[in-house]
């Protein structure tokens, strides 16, 4: 599959697992040239995820913790594309179209699956529409921008107290490492920036961490987890333990027991689910949909397919599944690369027998918890250890220098408040509403058109009910076409899902599709004629 004479190893995923497999294969190549390495990844950079939460506060620069794959991998061919399909029979991977929509197919002799996992909100009403995941650089940047926007809005919102409360409440769901680190970093950031806004009293700001178990950080020893809980609470984080996030709307996080937290910012680091591409492959899967591997890290029953990192269910020497962490992904990558080389060149194979060096979690502002080689640290010593270890683990001295100087400057300078607006418009979006919620209110600005996907609502003016809305019906057209404010309120009678089309998109489409404008106008006139009163 490689060149006429050389076998080809294709690695899917450029996270810890994929990149470190490629690095180990490049090292094994040395002076030789007896196989090719291809790495396919969605982004053209590698993200050092343990530092991702620091992007929220801007304590390290946006691109300081990412490394371009081409700088890291000197001898591998890098394909920056989405993997779309894998044909295990034909041994071919197909990737998404680039500038020209022609199919792009890469054949392989050995396939390494290192696609990680995904945060999957399916089955949790309102989460796909309203919760922010936290997995990659785009997620971190989106959250940072969103939080700054919430502050900008809250600082000038003097009429609507409820809206102000929602804007200044930040909810994180998931008390594992990533959720705790996000909550800690977010808490530091919002409390520090609140003082830069004249219209905001820092006491109004709430950060809530929702976790389904007895205590946060279940991966750590109890005393360290309890230390983390006390510290977060002392710094103002509200803990909601033994409670599970069940659904969300654009204005509330709804917990399983029925409690509702008004918020415009909901981050969820759970649930972690198997990668959708792997779900569809006829390969053996175990707990959490992860690919079952042999101790050599071959996918069971597949001689030429290997799995590493978060998507693999590799077993540690004590018989438990290796946890989804960067340190395990790196060790698996080394073993996998060794065994691929052994099967190409001949030689003995290795088994994955890494026991883990320990765990560390940052708690923000000069605090962390760490359990390393059987020793426990908390507070400042753990924080110092955390920073030193991760700094030294960053690939390349250039990055280390950048991160170290960002951290140093961060000690003296206030947090940056720049909101980077990247897109002109949000385009067509889906929204979820719970019974009793208002989509918009009489007197609001008419900025969007809505199409009901499921559920029902009523159109209300004052005490009178003007109409009922159900699936397939359009509403919100009147104010949009006539450039007026909403003449009525739309209130949900049941849980309702809608498609929302912003004014600009509607204007663009209507300008080029005269039939669209005509049919919306027909709906409008029909309603006027039927009721002699305008719907919203
Ligand atoms: C916020 C956060 C903090 C963390 N902190 C720590 C920590 O302190 N210590 C620790 O050990 N671990 C930590 N982890 C966990 C650690 O980052 C993961 O275990 C590790 O990244 C797993 O590596 P991976 O290569 O298996 O998956 P990933 O790093 O998720 O990489 C998967 C790669 O595949 C790519 N990909 C996915 N689908 C496609 C597709 N269809 N086409 C092309 N490319 C695709 C993705 O873009 C990504 O680059 C943290 C994770 C997060 C999210």
């Amino acid at each position: 599959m490689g060149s006429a004479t050389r076998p080809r190893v294709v690695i899917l995923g450029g996270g810890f697992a994929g990149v470190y497999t490629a690095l180990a294969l490049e090292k094994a190549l040395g002076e030789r040239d007896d196989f090719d390495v291809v790495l396919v990844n969605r982004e053209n950079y590698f993200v050092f995820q343990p530092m991702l939460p620091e992007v929220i506060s801007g304590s390290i620069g946006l691109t300081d913790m990412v490394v371009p794959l081409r700088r890291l991998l000197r001898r591998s061919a890098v394909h920056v594309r989405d993997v779309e399909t894998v044909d295990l029979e034909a041994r071919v991977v197909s990737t998404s179209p680039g500038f020209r929509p022609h199919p792009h197919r890469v054949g392989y002799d050995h396939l390494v699956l290192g696609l990680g996992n995904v945060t999957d909100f399916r089955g949790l009403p309102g989460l796909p529409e309203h919760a922010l995941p936290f997995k990659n650089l785009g997620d971190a940047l989106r959250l940072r921008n969103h939080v700054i926007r919430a502050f900008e809005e809250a600082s000038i919102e003097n009429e609507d107290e409820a809206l102000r409360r929602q804007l200044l409440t930040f909810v994180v769901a998931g008390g594992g490492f990533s959720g705790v680190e996000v909550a800690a970093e977010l808490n530091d950031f919002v409390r520090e920036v609140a003082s830069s806004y004249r219209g905001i009293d820092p006491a109004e700001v709430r950060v809530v961490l929702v976790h389904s178990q007895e205590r946060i950080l279940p991966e750590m020893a109890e005393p360290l987890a309890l230390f983390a809980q006390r510290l977060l609470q002392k710094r103002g984080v509200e803990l909601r333990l033994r409670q599970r996030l069940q659904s969300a709307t654009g204005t509330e996080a709804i917990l399983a027991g029925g409690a509702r937290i008004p918020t415009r910012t909901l981050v969820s680091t759970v649930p972690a689910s198997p990668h959708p591409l792997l779900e569809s492959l006829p390969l053996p899967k175990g707990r959490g949909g992860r690919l079952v591997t042999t101790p050599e890290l071959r996918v069971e029953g597949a001689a030429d397919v290997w799995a590493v990192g978060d998507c693999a269910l590799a077993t540690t020497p004590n018989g438990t599944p290796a946890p989804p962490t960067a340190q395990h992904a790196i060790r698996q990558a080394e073993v996998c690369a060794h065994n691929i080389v052994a099967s190409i060149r001949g030689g003995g194979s290795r088994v994955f027998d890494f026991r883990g060096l320990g765990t560390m979690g940052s708690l923000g502002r000069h605090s962390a918890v760490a359990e390393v080689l059987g020793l426990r640290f908390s507070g400042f010593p753990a924080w110092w250890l955390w920073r030193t270890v991760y700094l030294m683990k960053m690939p390349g001295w250039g990055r280390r220098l950048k991160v170290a100087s960002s951290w140093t400057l961060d000690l003296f300078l206030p947090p940056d408040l720049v909101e980077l607006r990247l897109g002109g418009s949000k385009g067509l979006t889906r929204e979820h509403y719970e019974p009793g919620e208002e989509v918009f209110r009489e007197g609001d600005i008419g900025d969007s058109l809505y199409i009901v996907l499921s559920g029902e609502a009523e159109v209300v003016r004052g005490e009178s009910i003007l109409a009922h809305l159900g699936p397939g019906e359009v509403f919100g057209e009147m104010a949009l076409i006539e450039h007026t404010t909403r003449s009525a309120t739309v209130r949900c009678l049941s849980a309702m899902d809608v498609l929302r089309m912003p004014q600009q998109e509607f204007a663009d489409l209507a300008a080029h599709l005269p039939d669209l404008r005509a049919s919306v106008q027909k709906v409008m006139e029909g309603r006027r004629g039927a009721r002699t009163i305008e719907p919203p």
Side-chain angles (χ1 to χ4, degrees):
M1 280 289 171
S3 75
T5 48
R6 288 194 300 269
R8 182 187 292 151
V9 184
V10 174
I11 303 168
L12 305 187
F16 277 96
V19 162
Y20 279 83
T21 305
L23 283 171
L25 287 170
E26 289 191 2
K27 195 167 164 206
L29 269 175
E31 298 295 304
R32 299 167 69 167
D33 209 7
D34 55 342
F35 57 86
D36 293 326
V37 183
V38 176
L39 182 135
V40 189
N41 192 49
R42 184 175 283 148
E43 301 86 16
N44 84 334
Y45 52 78
F46 161 74
V47 184
F48 196 78
Q49 278 186 344
M51 287 183 189
L52 202 56
E54 304 211 14
V55 168
I56 303 171
S57 62
S59 65
I60 56 176
L62 193 58
T63 54
D64 289 357
M65 31 69 82
V66 301
V67 190
L69 288 171
R70 282 169 207 287
R71 292 267 159 77
L72 210 53
L73 304 173
R74 302 288 179 171
R75 299 190 60 181
S76 308
V78 175
H79 294 208
V80 180
R81 287 264 172 107
D82 261 42
V83 179
E84 289 199 327
T85 56
V86 177
D87 185 337
L88 295 170
E89 293 251 315
R91 295 171 151 203
V92 170
V93 170
S94 302
T95 63
S96 58
F99 279 103
R100 246 197 74 203
H102 64 99
H104 189 88
R105 292 155 63 83
V106 190
Y108 66 82
D109 296 279
H110 289 273
L111 179 69
V112 181
L113 298 169
L115 291 167
N117 56 25
V118 294
T119 313
D120 187 354
F121 296 143
R122 277 177 296 177
L124 294 166
L127 264 73
E129 295 87 355
H130 303 293
L132 301 163
F134 198 87
K135 276 284 303 173
N136 55 42
L137 187 62
D139 297 336
L141 179 60
R142 204 167 306 126
L143 174 60
R144 176 180 159 77
N145 278 338
H146 181 90
V147 169
I148 298 172
R149 174 110 301 263
F151 269 95
E152 297 295 348
E153 287 294 317
S155 70
I156 51 172
E157 181 54 65
N158 300 318
E159 284 171 22
D160 189 337
E161 249 324 292
L163 173 58
R164 206 179 145 83
R165 259 198 310 280
Q166 291 160 8
L167 288 166
L168 293 175
T169 302
F170 304 89
V171 180
V172 180
F177 276 112
S178 46
V180 167
E181 290 184 348
V182 168
E185 197 66 32
L186 187 61
N187 186 55
D188 287 353
F189 180 56
V190 294
R191 296 201 182 278
E192 219 173 326
V193 299
S195 55
S196 302
Y197 290 86
R198 280 178 49 207
I200 294 175
D201 174 359
E204 290 179 277
V205 175
R206 284 177 75 195
V207 175
V208 185
L209 176 61
V210 181
H211 182 56
S212 58
Q213 300 180 26
E214 284 288 316
R215 62 169 172 93
I216 60 169
L217 297 176
E219 309 88 338
M220 288 203 121
E222 190 167 346
L224 289 179
L226 295 180
F227 172 88
Q229 280 184 196
R230 282 194 301 274
L231 188 102
L232 290 179
Q233 282 175 312
K234 203 168 115 197
R235 290 182 178 173
V237 177
E238 289 171 40
L239 293 182
R240 298 281 185 107
L241 298 175
R242 297 176 296 281
Q243 296 190 49
R244 196 179 286 278
L245 178 67
Q246 179 179 276
S247 57
T249 69
T251 57
E252 284 179 328
I254 301 163
L255 309 185
R260 291 168 174 252
I261 310 172
T263 184
R264 295 272 168 162
T265 312
L266 169 62
V267 190
S268 182
T269 57
V270 282
S273 301
H275 194 287
L277 187 84
L278 303 183
E279 266 183 321
S280 63
L281 291 181
L283 293 171
K285 289 156 203 125
R287 213 169 77 189
R290 293 161 79 189
L291 297 165
V292 180
T293 69
T294 64
E296 291 80 20
L297 300 177
R298 273 195 168 92
V299 175
E300 252 179 42
D304 51 2
V305 185
W306 308 76
V308 278
D310 287 3
C311 70
L313 191 69
T315 309
T316 57
N318 58 14
T320 55
T325 71
Q327 54 172 317
H328 287 84
I330 292 173
R331 298 325 185 287
Q332 288 168 12
E334 287 160 4
V335 172
C336 173
H338 173 94
N339 293 340
I340 290 174
V341 174
S343 61
I344 293 172
R345 291 182 185 156
S349 55
R350 277 173 56 189
V351 295
F352 174 67
D353 59 359
F354 180 62
R355 287 170 194 276
L357 297 172
T359 44
M360 291 194 275
S362 168
L363 301 175
R365 234 178 327 128
H366 305 163
S367 282
V369 276
E371 220 170 349
V372 182
L373 301 171
L375 299 171
R376 290 178 190 166
F377 304 88
S378 56
F380 184 81
W383 177 79
W384 186 86
L385 194 69
W386 187 96
R387 285 210 156 176
T388 311
V389 168
Y390 283 128
L391 190 65
M392 295 321 289
K393 283 209 171 294
M394 281 218 83
W397 279 101
R399 298 285 138 181
R400 285 179 208 159
L401 208 65
K402 276 188 171 185
V403 170
S405 48
S406 290
W407 278 344
T408 312
L409 287 174
D410 186 55
L411 293 173
F412 307 105
L413 301 175
D416 197 339
L417 277 181
V418 174
E419 179 202 1
L420 292 173
R421 290 218 180 176
L422 299 175
S425 164
K426 282 176 127 185
L428 207 61
T429 49
R430 286 176 73 114
E431 291 184 351
H432 175 79
Y433 294 87
E434 287 286 308
E437 268 200 288
E438 291 166 352
V439 180
F440 52 72
R441 241 180 252 171
E442 194 176 339
D444 282 355
I445 292 166
D447 61 350
S448 301
L449 177 85
Y450 299 82
I451 302 161
V452 182
L453 298 176
S454 63
E456 293 194 349
E458 57 187 7
V459 183
V460 188
R461 186 184 297 149
E463 298 294 304
S464 349
I465 296 171
L466 307 184
H468 277 88
L469 296 165
E473 286 191 84
V474 171
F475 66 96
E477 74 288 343
M478 185 78 70
L480 203 65
I481 289 180
E482 300 193 339
H483 304 287
T484 55
T485 52
R486 301 289 186 198
S487 58
T489 297
V490 171
R491 188 178 304 130
C492 299
L493 293 168
S494 64
M496 184 166 91
D497 289 304
V498 297
L499 263 189
R500 172 185 181 148
M501 188 189 296
Q503 188 163 30
Q504 188 56 51
E505 275 69 5
F506 175 73
D508 287 347
L509 272 181
H512 299 286
L513 286 176
D515 285 356
L516 174 76
R517 193 179 180 92
S519 62
V520 171
Q521 246 158 355
K522 208 165 140 201
V523 169
M524 202 165 91
E525 278 152 24
R527 282 179 178 160
R528 266 206 186 116
R531 292 187 221 110
T532 61
I533 33 174
E534 326 81 78

